[in-house]
Amino acid sequence: MAAYHVEHLHWAEAVNDAIDGEGESGRRFGRSGHDDCARFDAVMAAAAERVGPVAALIAVDIDEVQDFNVMYELQDKPCTVMFFYRYSYVHVRGFRSSDHVNNWAAITSADEFADVVGVVHQRATAGYRSVDFGHGV
């Protein structure tokens, strides 16, 4: 059985390589020293074994790797999670907000995060590039 974990990437080329990979992944962009980000990193680590068969979990510190801050509008967000499937961004809407996901740190359960990853994976593999949760999972 493979051991799954959250991989921390430290340079832009590694992030690009991970995005360009053929599979699916969840990327956490944020400030690693920020309390919200640290709490969410613990949730991702706890969910890694459950989601590992379908998604790679990657963390990127936006102060260390600044190349994506403007492109993904990350500079004012302490913790952002983005999903990619086969080279493309999968837009996730309606989870814990009326528009798009902006409060990942509010997820304190590995099971809750794994459920979100499962739904995103199911929709992405069905060809959807947008997942709308309405008002919750």
Side-chain angles (χ1 to χ4, degrees), residues 10-54:
H10 302 282
W11 57 92
E13 184 177 331
V15 176
N16 272 331
D17 289 347
I19 289 171
D20 289 342
E22 251 189 69
E24 179 174 352
S25 63
R27 311 262 184 310
R28 189 276 295 151
F29 291 92
R31 293 186 167 85
S32 294
H34 193 280
D35 288 345
D36 289 346
C37 224
R39 277 191 298 274
F40 190 72
D41 283 356
V43 169
M44 284 193 347
E49 287 294 324
R50 184 167 162 199
V51 303
V54 298

Side-chain angles (χ1 to χ4, degrees), residues 63-111:
D63 292 326
E64 181 180 13
V65 182
Q66 298 180 8
D67 301 64
F68 305 96
N69 293 356
V70 172
M71 180 186 333
Y72 295 132
E73 300 176 2
L74 301 170
Q75 54 272 31
D76 296 327
K77 300 174 184 172
C79 189
T80 299
V81 175
M82 300 178 72
F83 293 92
F84 294 86
Y85 182 75
R86 294 194 175 162
Y87 321 109
S88 298
Y89 170 61
V90 178
H91 186 74
V92 177
R93 296 174 48 92
F95 180 72
R96 295 195 179 265
S97 77
S98 60
D99 185 16
H100 46 270
V101 183
N102 63 1
N103 195 13
W104 288 101
I107 296 177
T108 58
S109 161
D111 288 336

Side-chain angles (χ1 to χ4, degrees), residues 92-95 101 115-117 119-120 131-137:
V92 177
R93 296 174 48 92
F95 180 72
V101 183
D115 290 345
V116 170
V117 172
V119 170
V120 172
V131 177
D132 192 344
F133 283 100
H135 295 297
V137 175

